[in-house]
Amino acid sequence: MKDDDLKSVLSQDDNDIDPAMAAISIAGEKNNIASLDRFYNHVRSLHDLVKLRHKEYLKAGADDNAMTCLASLKNILYIQYGYDGDTKTYDNLDNADITRVIDRRKGLPIAISILYISCGQACGWNILGLNFPDHFVVRLDYDGEIVIFDPF
């Protein structure tokens, strides 16, 4: 994906769109950010780290199930990188801008969920967002086991 090229996102099939990369492209266009490379590279690094952590858990004897996938996501995004919901300044507009969320490691439920979904999809897992009234959560379906969780 090219810097600030929103057209490249819009030209993809829906199933091929990485939600984090698309959100970065939209934020870059909106905020007129000259180079989005560091944001794209950060998300790609998260993808690689989640894949690696999942492999490490399996090698250590963890069951190959949805809970191990979730543990891999949480270990990298929440424990290692500190991505969390912003409960103190929830209405701050930075919480909805994925580039600011990446910089601050805080955001709205949907913004944090986008990162979890992006990483899960990069691992080949069936993961998607669920919009409930007043909240957004994530559904992970792995080998027929379904886990619904709140990254916020």
Side-chain angles (χ1 to χ4, degrees):
M1 191 176 310
K2 290 186 206 174
D3 277 348
D4 71 341
D5 189 1
L6 190 54
K7 291 179 185 178
S8 67
V9 172
L10 298 174
S11 68
Q12 296 175 357
D13 290 333
D14 288 351
N15 293 333
D16 296 331
I17 294 174
D18 179 305
M21 300 301 191
I24 290 167
S25 296
I26 292 166
E29 185 77 16
K30 176 186 159 285
N31 299 330
N32 200 24
I33 299 172
S35 175
L36 298 172
D37 283 343
R38 75 179 177 93
F39 300 106
Y40 294 139
N41 291 337
H42 175 71
V43 171
R44 287 185 195 106
S45 176
L46 293 175
H47 293 170
D48 293 342
L49 290 168
V50 171
K51 288 177 194 176
L52 178 61
R53 185 56 41 95
H54 186 249
K55 286 179 186 176
E56 290 171 349
Y57 282 153
L58 296 178
K59 187 176 179 181
D63 292 333
D64 190 10
N65 60 26
M67 292 306 293
T68 301
C69 297
L70 177 56
S72 303
L73 289 164
K74 285 175 64 175
N75 184 274
I76 298 304
L77 291 164
Y78 178 68
I79 295 169
Q80 186 170 334
Y81 279 88
Y83 281 103
D84 199 8
D86 186 349
T87 57
K88 292 182 181 174
T89 59
Y90 187 88
D91 292 330
N92 182 341
L93 292 178
D94 285 345
N95 289 327
D97 180 328
I98 197 71
T99 58
R100 296 296 300 137
V101 170
I102 289 170
D103 283 341
R104 298 169 59 237
R105 303 292 197 259
K106 292 193 177 303
L108 292 173
I110 193 166
I112 301 297
S113 294
I114 284 171
L115 293 170
Y116 276 77
I117 293 166
S118 174
C119 289
Q121 287 177 346
C123 292
W125 304 333
N126 183 7
I127 188 168
L128 49 85
L130 299 174
N131 189 21
F132 285 100
D134 298 325
H135 205 60
F136 194 89
V137 296
V138 177
R139 176 184 185 266
L140 172 64
D141 180 350
Y142 188 81
D143 201 25
E145 180 183 13
I146 297 172
V147 175
I148 296 174
F149 64 97
D150 183 359
F152 188 78

